Amino acid sequence: MRLSNEKFAEKLGIGARTVASWHQKPDLRPQSEMQQVLDTAYERASDAERARFAELTGDGPAALTRPDTKEADRRLAADPHIGAALDWLDQHAYRSPGAARRAVAEQAARVDAQEAYARATRRAWVDQRAVTDALAEYYGRHHGDHGLYAGSCGDQAVNTSILTCADWLDLACELRPPHDGLTIASARPDPREVLDEHATKAAVNRLAETVAMNTRLMNAPLYRLLSTDIRERHLGGTFGVDHFVHYALTMDLLEGELLDALAAGDTTSLPLRDRYLPDVGAVLDVGGRLCAGGALALTAIARPADPYRGEADYVLLVQERSGHVLNATRRLAVIPKGFHQPLTDVRRETQIGATLRREMEEELFGRPDADNTVADTLTADPMHPTRLTEPMRWLLAEPGRLRMECTGFGLNLVSGNYEFASLIVIDDEEFWTRYGGVVEANWESATLRQYSTTDAELVTELLGDVAWSNEGLFAMTQGLRRLAEIGGERVKLPAIEWEIGQ
């Protein structure tokens, strides 16, 4: 019936302690009077509740055709991160220990690998403009001071699903104190989430496919946005802390639901979106929902003139996301790109600069121990100077070698995430001469491309590529706009302008 101990006890007219004892002693046989009370409750239950009861006890018709779950059971037993997701699902959906494990194991055994790969391919074929148009139709393009971020570069139009406002753009905010002033309000997870039947089924399907396809799912602390105070040269706001599995089994499902609907040509039914993010009011109410997010940056590295390549420029790095990541799969994005989450210091690591420096180590300089999706973090201070890679030590050895700014902020309508669009600039040409050959993307990227800030034709063409993720295109456009202001003769691109809600 998906009731808590207290609500079920109230429904039966008995003490909550009695119901709790049934959980603690599942082999206990109730007295005859209590059996009659339970019989009456069963007779009054709906068909759906009876069917669920039969599934959970193994007495229903489906029990006769239950698939072989041995392989799935092994993965579920061996993976502590999947185990954490199952525990979360039991607490917020089934409220019966072990129920989620059984449901996920059976569903994983039914997953058709070929169909799963085909669905991933169909999702990849849905272009960025189709996503933006569908979300504009669902939410509208303009709401008071807020609207969808759009822009232009020469004759190339740019449209995104990022909800923003004028105060959140062209921030030119250095990512160091006191400008990067984000703080933490609480480190306790929010326990309020209760899943309905459809949301529970979607969460089970996500975990089942994760198990069957051997996709990485690492549970880790994740910042959740509670309030914002963002303006030019200032990042302010408060965060709480939640678990990544909460995000993976709720808000992160909205992207897949939308892409499947667009691939099928019918977006009239989006029940998860209707539940979690029904209107712009819900999008902007970041403290009233799970609002996770991240930071991503356009990286621009100065290069000297070259007899083959040409005049001095900045090299711009763009990645194609791999098929092993949970979101923005197979989409174009700037690099680095990462979730805003702590590793060991919950308070200090709220700063966006801390996230981007860590992501540079992980995604550009090849440090596996900075990647909490590969293994649990056991180091007390992963970013201690003695642990840094040689390129990062060189960048931090002298002030001014590494320039990091936040260029814009917005809320992505795809999953409701907050996005800190940023720019990383290395002006010293010596860096590329010394370390250009060791810059290498990690497993999150399928390919890594480079573009020159003197190649206006290809950069403009790139902005029109429909393979972009919305947050990636937002960060790319804002980053280029700021780079044109500070990059001098190395930047020879058409003027980039933005507008809201067009």
Side-chain angles (χ1 to χ4, degrees):
M1 292 180 175
R2 306 202 193 285
L3 300 175
S4 65
N5 287 357
E6 293 76 12
K7 291 293 185 182
F8 188 58
E10 182 181 334
K11 185 178 184 68
L12 298 184
I14 63 175
R17 187 172 298 177
T18 301
V19 178
S21 71
W22 295 341
H23 283 293
Q24 296 168 0
K25 302 175 182 178
D27 295 330
L28 180 69
R29 184 180 180 86
Q31 296 180 351
S32 59
E33 295 84 356
M34 191 60 68
Q35 291 183 31
Q36 291 174 10
V37 172
L38 291 168
D39 286 344
T40 300
Y42 179 77
E43 290 168 1
R44 293 176 178 175
S46 68
D47 290 342
E49 290 167 342
R50 290 192 192 192
R52 284 199 298 269
F53 182 76
E55 287 292 313
L56 293 173
T57 58
D59 296 330
L64 301 176
T65 59
R66 185 164 287 136
D68 183 0
T69 63
K70 290 181 181 178
E71 187 61 35
D73 285 332
R74 277 194 289 271
R75 168 83 190 273
L76 295 176
D79 191 329
H81 300 282
I82 294 290
L86 296 173
D87 289 343
W88 187 90
L89 197 51
D90 275 337
Q91 294 174 34
H92 296 271
Y94 289 105
R95 299 186 178 275
S96 174
R101 183 179 294 272
R102 290 190 293 271
V104 170
E106 291 181 19
Q107 185 61 27
R110 295 189 181 101
V111 170
D112 183 329
Q114 289 187 335
E115 172 53 30
Y117 282 122
R119 183 168 64 255
T121 300
R122 290 194 295 270
R123 288 179 176 180
W125 286 350
V126 177
D127 66 54
Q128 180 266 337
R129 292 175 189 167
V131 171
T132 299
D133 289 344
L135 291 171
E137 182 176 352
Y138 188 97
Y139 294 105
R141 292 188 179 273
H142 203 281
H143 300 271
D145 294 336
H146 295 84
L148 296 187
Y149 179 86
S152 62
C153 178
D155 295 332
Q156 182 63 61
V158 173
N159 291 283
T160 75
S161 66
I162 305 298
L163 187 73
T164 188
C165 63
D167 288 344
W168 291 351
L169 297 175
D170 295 341
L171 298 176
C173 181
E174 292 184 69
L175 291 176
R176 60 182 179 83
H179 310 285
D180 190 347
L182 303 171
T183 61
I184 189 164
S186 172
R188 294 185 215 167
D190 191 331
R192 291 177 294 176
E193 192 81 58
V194 178
L195 304 189
D196 61 20
E197 190 166 353
H198 182 83
T200 299
K201 183 178 180 181
V204 167
N205 288 341
R206 156 58 70 87
L207 285 178
E209 191 161 304
T210 297
V211 171
M213 307 305 291
N214 203 30
T215 304
R216 285 179 181 171
L217 175 65
M218 295 290 289
N219 190 34
L222 186 72
Y223 288 120
R224 59 180 299 163
L225 185 60
L226 301 178
S227 66
T228 61
D229 176 20
I230 295 174
R231 57 188 183 276
E232 187 178 3
R233 304 187 189 282
H234 175 76
L235 296 186
T238 59
F239 291 86
V241 177
D242 215 305
H243 298 300
F244 186 82
V245 294
H246 181 184
Y247 170 76
L249 299 182
T250 55
M251 301 300 291
D252 194 45
L253 302 178
L254 299 186
E255 181 179 13
E257 178 188 62
L258 178 61
L259 294 178
D260 288 341
L262 287 169
D266 182 7
T267 58
T268 57
S269 178
L270 298 170
L272 292 176
R273 185 166 297 277
D274 295 341
R275 170 186 170 83
Y276 292 122
L277 215 60
D279 51 42
V280 171
V283 176
L284 294 173
D285 182 21
V286 294
R289 63 178 178 88
L290 174 58
C291 184
L296 65 170
L298 172 63
T299 297
I301 305 173
R303 296 187 297 190
D306 181 271
Y308 298 101
R309 188 187 64 251
E311 59 191 315
D313 67 353
Y314 289 106
V315 59
L316 306 174
L317 300 180
V318 175
Q319 65 168 318
E320 179 187 340
R321 303 274 284 170
S322 78
H324 301 293
V325 295
L326 281 178
N327 59 7
T329 306
R330 302 180 185 180
R331 302 284 173 179
L332 294 180
V334 293
I335 189 169
K337 168 181 166 62
F339 276 102
H340 186 209
Q341 55 188 156
L343 285 183
T344 57
D345 190 332
V346 172
R347 184 171 298 282
R348 188 184 66 176
E349 292 172 344
T350 54
Q351 295 176 9
I352 295 302
T355 293
L356 287 179
R357 286 190 295 273
R358 186 179 71 226
E359 292 297 323
M360 287 180 70
E361 283 282 82
E362 172 193 334
E363 295 187 18
L364 293 179
F365 302 150
R367 260 190 70 189
D369 63 320
D371 185 355
N372 63 0
T373 63
V374 174
D376 294 320
T377 301
L378 300 178
T379 305
D381 187 358
M383 294 299 290
H384 191 275
T386 59
R387 301 188 65 87
L388 298 179
T389 60
E390 185 180 344
M392 183 59 82
R393 280 201 303 272
W394 188 88
L395 287 171
L396 299 181
E398 294 183 13
R401 281 181 173 175
L402 177 63
R403 180 171 184 158
M404 302 173 69
E405 293 185 358
C406 182
T407 58
F409 174 81
L411 299 168
N412 193 343
L413 296 182
V414 172
S415 296
N417 290 1
Y418 61 86
E419 309 286 359
F420 285 94
S422 304
L423 174 66
I424 295 172
V425 181
I426 302 172
D427 280 315
D428 192 331
E429 295 177 346
E430 186 180 349
F431 177 85
W432 188 255
T433 303
R434 281 175 174 253
Y435 303 112
V438 300
V439 173
E440 181 178 354
N442 70 346
W443 65 271
E444 296 179 45
S445 300
T447 61
L448 187 61
R449 309 179 188 176
Q450 59 171 261
Y451 292 85
S452 171
T453 50
T454 61
D455 194 336
E457 183 179 1
L458 281 186
V459 172
T460 303
E461 183 180 281
L462 174 66
L463 291 175
D465 196 321
V466 295
W468 278 102
S469 64
N470 280 279
E471 67 274 16
L473 186 55
F474 175 54
M476 182 73 177
T477 306
Q478 281 295 105
L480 288 176
R481 180 175 165 85
R482 176 60 175 160
L483 192 61
E485 294 177 353
I486 63 177
E489 292 300 315
R490 294 180 186 273
V491 182
K492 297 182 178 179
L493 300 173
I496 294 177
E497 305 293 342
W498 58 258
E499 54 189 14
I500 295 175
Q502 299 301 315

